[in-house]
Amino acid sequence: MEFTEWIRGRSDEQLRALVSARPELITPVPAHLEGLAARAGSPSAIGRALDRLDRFTLAVVETLAVQDGPVPKEALRDLLGRALAAGKPEPALSAALDRLRDLALVYGTDGALDLAPGVRKALDDPAGLGPPVAEVFRHHPPEQLGELADDIAPGTTGTGKDRLAVALAEPGKLVEEVSGEARAALDQLAWGPATGRVPNARREVRVESARSPIEELLARGLLAATGEESVTLPREVGLHLRGGRIHRDLLATPPALEGTARDQELADRTAAGQAFTFVRVVEELCERWSVAPPGVLRTGGLGVRDMKRAATELDVPEWTAALAVEVAHAAGLVATGGGVDGEWLPTTGYDLWRVRPTADRWVTLALTWLHMDRLPGLVGERDERDRPLNALHPDLRRTAAPVVRAAALGVLATAPGLAPTRESVLDRLAWEQPRRRGPLREQLVEFALREAEQIGVTGLGVLSAHGRALLSASPKGATADKTVDKTADKTGARKAAKAAADPAAVLAPLLPEPVDHVLLQADLTAVAPGPLTSELNRWMTLAADVESKGGATVYRFSDASVRRALDAGQGADELLAALERHSATPVPQALSYLVADVARRHGRIRVGTAGAYVRCDDPALLDQITADRRSASLRLRRLAPTVIASRTSRAALVDSLRAMGYAPVAESLDGDVIVSRLDGRRSEGPAQARPVPVANGLDPEVAGAAVRALRAGDAAHLSRREPVAAPGGTVPRGPATTTITALQDAIKQGVRVWIGYLDSQGNATSRILEPARMEGGYLTAYDETRAAVHRFALHRITGVAGLS
């Protein structure tokens, strides 16, 4: 049965499963089922489908690829059984075949299983085996093949290539003839890769003149020279060396995870604490950047010094600060704004995010991290040009990042209460996605596990309950059971299922309860006995400096911190009233005196814009300033008894006077005091859009509509008359899909065809060709009408007809 007919014979439900699992096949929807079959056999589509296979399912494909034609399921079971490290191939084989049929990588009945067109070509070295003898020796001169066949298969007849193929079909005797060193070289290549490098590989060597182990193998055809310095082990020889096994130590089921068992409730509480802390870190970052935003580099990133300062102010390691910065930017809480050069500022979206419940805020950050294509873990490393990679730099994008995060968390989801080791997770992922291995992937997994712990998706290395709900709510995440027992109470079951699938609802009961009070102490400190409410935390950060963090946060009041609160527009009475309202202890006398003293001196001096000026109702105080030696750099000049002018800027003048021990305030051109607020600056540019999760598969309605369109188009296509070989002089014409299929069959069978072709001027011509290969939109073939090899653009071929 041909592959196209097999596709056409699939039920609508099976076709919906196919296009849902491989949505690229209907982007856009083909005109008919022949087009669907042709697209399913394209190299890019096959590569994507193979990338989705686990180790055992891929081994089934590789085993079929090694065979010459269709294979019964019993023979396939026997071949796979030899390769298993333990156990039997069933029921994993039946499940693998069902999946491969659903993906249209394997077709046919259990009595004749075969790979879809193009799959064998996509597997360059299935199971690490080299090409067959006919393929590996095809570029050797016929004379050299004849001499080689005379040495290893004397007395046989036929072409050198045919004689060589017969001799190497059973290479046991030839292998026994070589020396121990040559046999060791064969054993090194037996389990792949099947290629090696040796000097002068192309030099002709006869059996009697062979001197080195490699020459022994080349002289007997056990190795084939494929280049000046490269050799390849033929597939038949490799299979003999493997003892008939195609794979070694194959596992039909995923390897077991190894790690430390943890109490799930303890892991959930630990993860919830980490989640609360991460939300507060992002909030504090945005609050600080509201007041003192860092600049944007010319390359579009965040400077190294700004990154270090953020880590110091947040009291976290630099990689954690980089994670908070990247997630905040990806979530649309931070964006570029400000002046000409640009600054990193919170967005208006941050104000909306800030007032939401903590659990909802965490879900926003965690989903953003799960789906963003940026890698915060690369911050501080260097690129291929030895340039540092800064936070928020465009070069931090990696398309594989969200896929690896979801895959790593999916592995953790399979082992509740277990904190698997990094090596165990990598081994499981290597089994689940064997074609996606590499050093970068291992680094991505390490970043994902570390960041998941920091964000609070995992706790003590175990996937938390809210982390599992996060994956269930994510289309890319691990699958979760969303079905409800129809025989049970529907209302209660739906509520329970909805609560279990809502990560915010799962996390909220685990979060520490925020407190709305502090304990004021006589040494001008305040102790927060737990996490403060968001508003109280912002107010305390404004009026005091954080001295230490931990189970209880310690704040210290000082002249500078009280002045900061007064600069924000609060009065002394208002400040003391807030302290009394939020303190579980009386306000100490020392703190009352501090507030009153700073408030008494606050604003007596006013600084405005000239270059800048100083205005004060007390001339004696201005006399004191002008007489101070430290004011010499300010270049002050007395304009009136109550006014001094300076050539420095207003901001610099305010900072300099405060450094000298005074308490000036800035005023506007109208003479009003300028109030500084923590949330006074926001990005004027658009907020960064959150990454939109892409569902794993198509919406069922879209898949159903696509199948209906394919059926209708195929019916119309079949009603057309098939192209036939026209009488002499008429150029063959036919549909493009039929043309491509006919050319693929001609290449596979090695036959000549008659084609219609449009030249560069649009004139129709006909050619008799012997097709060789088809790739990149071109057909390479031997043109008998011109006695030369040419390349033909596929879009110019009007049709194909056979030659009798």
Side-chain angles (χ1 to χ4, degrees), residues 74-100:
E74 291 75 11
L76 185 61
R77 183 186 296 112
D78 179 63
L79 290 171
L80 291 169
R82 302 177 195 172
L84 288 178
K88 296 182 179 180
E90 291 291 359
L93 175 59
S94 296
L97 289 175
D98 290 341
R99 186 182 180 194
L100 291 172

Side-chain angles (χ1 to χ4, degrees), residues 355-664:
V355 299
R356 295 169 60 193
T358 302
D360 291 336
R361 289 191 285 167
W362 178 81
V363 171
T364 299
L365 298 178
L367 280 177
T368 298
W369 167 77
L370 186 60
H371 297 298
M372 71 181 188
D373 61 353
R374 299 183 59 80
L375 274 184
L378 292 179
V379 173
E381 298 189 5
R382 294 186 171 272
D383 60 11
E384 62 277 0
R385 299 183 182 178
D386 199 35
R387 296 175 303 184
L389 292 172
N390 297 332
L392 303 178
H393 193 279
D395 288 348
L396 292 184
R397 295 186 181 277
R398 300 292 187 277
T399 55
V403 178
V404 173
R405 291 192 193 105
L409 294 180
V411 170
L412 299 185
T414 63
L418 180 70
T421 62
R422 170 181 171 274
E423 293 73 17
S424 181
V425 174
L426 289 174
D427 289 343
R428 172 65 70 86
L429 289 176
W431 187 90
E432 291 182 350
Q433 300 171 340
R435 285 170 56 91
R436 293 178 177 176
R437 302 176 63 180
L440 176 60
R441 184 173 180 81
E442 294 184 5
Q443 190 179 36
L444 293 181
V445 171
E446 184 176 352
F447 288 159
L449 296 177
R450 182 179 69 174
E451 293 167 2
E453 188 76 15
Q454 188 66 37
I455 292 175
V457 178
T458 62
L460 303 176
V462 178
L463 184 66
S464 63
H466 50 276
R468 189 180 300 275
L470 187 78
L471 288 178
S472 301
S474 168
K476 278 187 177 180
T479 58
D481 185 11
K482 299 181 181 179
T483 60
V484 178
D485 187 2
K486 296 181 179 180
T487 61
D489 181 9
K490 293 184 178 180
T491 303
R494 286 175 182 172
K495 289 183 178 179
K498 184 177 180 180
D502 184 2
V506 177
L507 174 62
L510 301 174
L511 291 174
E513 191 68 28
V515 297
D516 59 355
H517 65 276
V518 295
L519 305 175
L520 296 177
Q521 303 186 111
D523 60 349
L524 299 180
T525 61
V527 178
L532 300 178
T533 61
S534 181
E535 289 302 319
L536 181 57
N537 179 64
R538 294 179 68 239
W539 189 88
M540 287 298 300
T541 305
L542 171 65
D545 298 316
V546 177
E547 189 168 87
S548 65
K549 294 181 179 180
T553 304
V554 178
Y555 299 87
R556 178 168 293 279
F557 295 93
S558 63
D559 289 3
S561 68
V562 173
R563 185 173 61 242
R564 188 168 63 232
L566 297 175
D567 286 343
Q570 299 191 26
D573 295 339
E574 184 182 358
L575 187 58
L576 290 173
L579 289 172
E580 292 177 356
R581 186 168 61 253
H582 293 296
S583 175
T585 58
V587 178
Q589 189 178 46
L591 181 55
S592 300
Y593 285 166
L594 174 66
V595 173
D597 182 59
V598 174
R600 177 178 53 81
R601 294 183 290 112
H602 186 265
R604 291 182 62 192
I605 298 176
R606 297 194 175 193
V607 176
T609 302
Y613 65 84
V614 179
R615 181 170 67 85
C616 181
D617 295 334
D618 185 358
L621 185 56
L622 294 185
D623 292 338
Q624 181 181 344
I625 292 175
T626 55
D628 196 322
R629 292 182 178 180
R630 293 174 294 175
S631 67
S633 61
L634 301 177
R635 304 176 70 179
L636 303 176
R637 184 169 63 89
R638 193 73 166 262
L639 298 180
T642 59
V643 180
I644 298 175
S646 173
R647 293 188 179 182
T648 61
S649 66
R650 180 174 60 194
L653 186 54
V654 170
D655 292 341
S656 299
L657 290 177
R658 287 179 174 174
M660 293 165 60
Y662 302 99

Side-chain angles (χ1 to χ4, degrees), residues 295-351:
V296 180
L297 297 177
R298 292 183 179 179
T299 56
L302 180 68
V304 175
R305 292 182 180 178
D306 293 325
M307 186 74 258
K308 292 182 180 293
R309 182 167 62 250
T312 302
E313 292 174 345
L314 298 174
D315 193 24
V316 295
E318 284 191 36
W319 73 266
T320 304
L323 176 63
V325 168
E326 288 286 348
V327 172
H329 178 250
L333 307 182
V334 172
T336 56
V340 177
D341 294 333
E343 295 172 320
W344 292 109
L345 288 167
T347 65
T348 54
Y350 164 69
D351 296 313

Side-chain angles (χ1 to χ4, degrees), residues 16-238:
R16 283 195 296 269
L18 169 61
V19 299
S20 297
R22 300 176 65 180
E24 63 273 7
L25 299 184
I26 56 170
T27 310
V29 179
H32 40 67
L33 290 176
E34 279 191 23
L36 180 70
R39 192 174 296 177
S42 64
S44 60
I46 292 174
R48 290 183 181 183
L50 292 175
D51 287 343
R52 301 183 179 111
L53 302 183
D54 59 57
R55 175 65 267 178
F56 182 78
T57 308
L58 182 62
V60 174
V61 175
E62 291 175 331
T63 302
L64 289 172
V66 173
Q67 312 307 313
D68 293 333
V71 179
K73 183 178 179 180
E74 291 75 11
L76 185 61
R77 183 186 296 112
D78 179 63
L79 290 171
L80 291 169
R82 302 177 195 172
L84 288 178
K88 296 182 179 180
E90 291 291 359
L93 175 59
S94 296
L97 289 175
D98 290 341
R99 186 182 180 194
L100 291 172
R101 286 192 181 104
D102 289 341
L103 292 172
L105 294 175
V106 170
Y107 73 103
T109 63
D110 287 349
L113 296 168
D114 202 359
L115 293 178
V119 177
R120 281 187 172 85
K121 187 175 181 180
L123 295 170
D124 295 330
D125 53 346
L129 291 167
V133 171
E135 179 72 15
V136 80
F137 284 104
R138 68 174 181 171
H139 295 297
H140 287 59
E143 299 80 8
Q144 184 179 355
L145 293 179
E147 293 176 357
L148 183 58
D150 291 340
D151 284 346
I152 65 175
T156 57
T157 59
T159 64
K161 183 184 296 187
D162 295 339
R163 297 168 62 197
L164 200 60
V166 172
L168 292 177
E170 298 290 340
K173 183 177 180 181
L174 295 173
V175 172
E176 294 175 357
E177 294 177 356
V178 301
S179 62
E181 293 83 357
R183 178 58 190 265
L186 287 177
D187 292 337
Q188 289 182 356
L189 300 175
W191 290 102
T195 59
R197 298 184 63 85
V198 295
N200 299 323
R202 284 289 191 186
R203 187 167 62 89
E204 295 186 26
V205 183
R206 302 299 295 270
V207 172
E208 61 274 7
S209 62
R211 296 292 182 267
S212 66
I214 299 300
E215 289 182 352
E216 291 183 52
L217 300 175
L218 290 171
R220 289 171 172 80
L222 299 176
L223 283 182
T226 54
E228 294 298 330
E229 295 184 351
S230 60
V231 293
T232 299
L233 185 72
R235 180 174 299 176
E236 291 82 352
V237 180

Side-chain angles (χ1 to χ4, degrees), residues 711-757:
R711 289 292 191 193
D714 195 57
H717 174 67
L718 291 176
S719 65
R720 300 172 186 169
R721 180 177 298 177
E722 294 292 335
V724 296
T730 303
V731 176
R733 294 184 180 276
T737 54
T738 304
T739 299
I740 298 298
T741 302
L743 291 174
Q744 290 174 339
D745 292 341
I747 294 173
K748 184 176 181 180
Q749 298 172 12
V751 298
R752 297 180 303 161
V753 293
W754 177 30
I755 71 167
Y757 194 71

